Amino acid sequence: MHWSTIIYCGIITYLTRFSMIFILKEDILNDKAKKILSYVPSAIFPAIIFPPIFLDNVGSLDLESNPKILAAILAILVGYISRSIIITIFVGLISYWFLIFVYY
Amino acid sequence: MNNRLKILTKGIIDVSPLMIPVVPFGIIYGVIGIELGLSAYMTFGMSIIIFGGASQIVLLQLFSGGATSLVAITSVGAVNSRHLLYGAVFSEYLSHLKLTWKIILSYVLIDQAFAVSNTYFKKNKENEFKHYHLLGAGFTCWTIWQISTVLGIVLGSVIPEELGLSFTISLTFLALLINDFRKFKNIIVMLVSGIVATIGYNIIPFQAYIIVAALAALMTATLLTLINSKKK
C-alpha cells in the first residue's frame, strides 16, 4: 500500500462529506434519491461479507464443513433478536472459535 | 454556562452511547491492519486521513487481495457515497456558516454524528449556534476512533494469527446491517450484492467485485424504489 492511495482515498471520502454542504443551500435531493442512497450499506456491505465466508483460500466455493457459515448464521440470528452490534460480533467470533478449536 | 459550550457538550453527551460499538470496531481495524502487514504509521495514518471505519477496512481487505489503487480508491468512494446523503440533509442547517466552519464540520460528518445531530437540528432549527452540536459529536467520534485504532495497533502485534481475526471483518459489517435485517427489500438488495460478489470474486478482474456487486445491488434498490412509488 502506498501513502498516495491512502491520501486519494482521504480526499474522495472528504469530498463525499463536503461537496453537498458546499454546493447546496438547501436540501434538494428528492425522496426517491434519498431512499436509494439509504440502500448503500445494504448494497455494499454484503459484497465485503460474503466472499471471505463462502470462498476458501484459493477462491473456490466451500459449503461443506465451513465453520464461518455456521458462525455467521448464528451471528445473524442473534443480531436479529438483540439488535446489538457488539453482541452480534462477539457471538459470531466466539462460535467461530468454538467451531475451529473444539468441534472440528 | 456559555450557550456555545452548552450545545457542544450536548453533542458530546448525545453521541456517547453510540461510541460503545465504535471501540471494538476501531480495535479490530487496528489489529487487522497490523496482521496484514501494514506499518503502525500507515494504519494510524489511514484513521487520520480517511476517518471512515468501514471504508478503511475495505481498503485493507482489497490491499491484501492485491487490488490496484484505482479499484481501491473507487471502492472507498462507493462505500462512502452514503455521506452525500448526510451532506444534502445538513446543507440547509449549515448554509449560513462561513467556509471555514463547513470545511471543519465536513471532516467529522460520519454516521454516528449525523444520526444525533440530525435529531438535534430538527428540533433546534432557529438556534444560531446549533452547529456546535455537530462539532461536539463529530470530534467525540474522531477522538474515540483514533484511541481505539491505537489500541488495536498495540494489540495487533501480540494477538496470534491462529485466532482467525480476519473473520471479524465479515462479522463487523454483518453487525452494521442488523437494523436492516427486518426489511424485506433490504434483504433482497443484500442477497444480490453478496451473490454477485461471491460469483464475481474469481471472474471479475482487478478485485473490482465490490464495485460491480454494489452497482448491481443499487440497481436492484432503484428498481424496488421505483416500483414501490408507482404503486402509490
Side-chain angles (χ1 to χ4, degrees):
Chain A
M1 176 110 55
H2 290 287
W3 278 103
S4 60
T5 308
I6 298 175
I7 290 166
Y8 286 131
C9 287
I11 293 171
I12 202 163
T13 300
Y14 185 79
L15 287 178
T16 61
R17 294 173 179 149
F18 178 69
S19 54
M20 290 295 175
I21 292 179
F22 180 67
I23 298 166
L24 303 181
K25 286 266 171 275
E26 58 194 297
D27 190 0
I28 50 134
L29 282 189
N30 65 26
D31 286 346
K32 262 183 226 162
K34 278 187 191 160
K35 183 77 194 151
I36 294 167
L37 275 175
S38 76
Y39 280 109
V40 166
S42 294
I44 293 180
F45 292 171
I48 302 155
I49 300 168
F50 277 50
I53 293 182
F54 289 102
L55 303 175
D56 60 18
N57 290 335
V58 290
S60 28
L61 202 60
D62 178 12
L63 295 176
E64 287 167 47
S65 65
N66 181 340
K68 288 180 182 173
I69 296 178
L70 273 176
I73 291 171
L74 269 172
I76 290 172
L77 285 176
V78 171
Y80 186 84
I81 298 163
S82 71
R83 294 191 191 213
S84 156
I85 291 177
I86 300 181
I87 295 175
T88 309
I89 295 177
F90 273 98
V91 166
L93 198 56
I94 286 165
S95 45
Y96 177 63
W97 283 339
F98 176 81
L99 289 167
I100 58 171
F101 291 125
V102 182
Y103 186 73
Y104 284 108
Chain B
M1 203 173 9
N2 163 327
N3 213 349
R4 291 170 210 190
L5 192 63
K6 212 186 261 174
I7 300 171
L8 184 91
T9 316
K10 174 105 173 86
I12 296 173
I13 294 169
D14 284 349
V15 86
S16 291
L18 299 185
M19 291 300 97
I20 298 167
V22 171
V23 176
F25 195 30
I27 293 175
I28 288 167
Y29 162 73
V31 168
I32 292 170
I34 298 299
E35 287 204 348
L36 289 179
L38 244 67
S39 72
Y41 288 119
M42 237 178 205
T43 310
F44 187 59
M46 270 168 68
S47 278
I48 301 273
I49 296 170
I50 302 176
F51 183 44
S55 56
Q56 289 175 228
I57 292 186
V58 169
L59 189 55
L60 287 182
Q61 197 179 29
L62 287 172
F63 161 72
S64 69
T68 63
S69 356
L70 185 65
V71 169
I73 295 162
T74 316
S75 303
V76 166
V79 171
N80 287 328
S81 61
R82 65 187 190 286
H83 295 123
L84 294 171
L85 170 70
Y86 304 163
V89 173
F90 275 6
S91 56
E92 64 172 290
Y93 301 123
L94 306 177
S95 59
H96 66 287
L97 294 175
K98 284 200 184 110
L99 184 62
T100 326
W101 267 111
K102 293 182 183 174
I103 290 172
I104 296 170
L105 292 177
S106 297
Y107 178 53
V108 294
L109 181 58
I110 63 159
D111 306 84
Q112 290 84 357
F114 171 77
V116 293
S117 291
N118 191 31
T119 312
Y120 181 83
F121 288 166
K122 272 186 199 159
K123 288 184 198 150
N124 299 276
K125 276 185 186 147
E126 304 306 321
N127 192 319
E128 60 173 321
F129 298 128
K130 59 181 177 304
H131 52 285
Y132 278 84
H133 189 275
L134 178 57
L135 188 73
F139 276 95
T140 305
C141 300
W142 187 86
T143 310
I144 300 288
W145 181 246
Q146 306 310 337
I147 294 173
S148 37
T149 299
V150 173
L151 275 177
I153 291 171
V154 174
L155 285 172
S157 48
V158 293
I159 291 179
E161 225 172 290
E162 289 73 42
L163 287 180
L165 275 186
S166 61
F167 180 51
T168 49
I169 297 183
S170 296
L171 283 176
T172 309
F173 283 105
L174 198 150
L176 291 176
L177 288 176
I178 49 175
N179 286 322
D180 293 330
F181 286 163
R182 279 157 217 270
K183 300 171 195 154
F184 181 63
K185 281 184 204 154
N186 286 70
I187 293 173
I188 297 176
V189 173
M190 287 179 205
L191 287 175
V192 170
S193 164
I195 292 168
V196 171
T198 308
I199 297 170
Y201 189 83
N202 288 310
I203 308 169
I204 299 164
F206 311 121
Q207 294 263 312
Y209 63 95
I210 295 181
I211 303 166
V212 175
L215 285 176
L218 268 183
M219 277 196 282
T220 312
T222 309
L223 281 176
L224 289 171
T225 310
L226 294 180
I227 292 169
N228 201 42
S229 60
K230 257 186 200 159
K231 270 185 208 158
K232 288 171 193 168

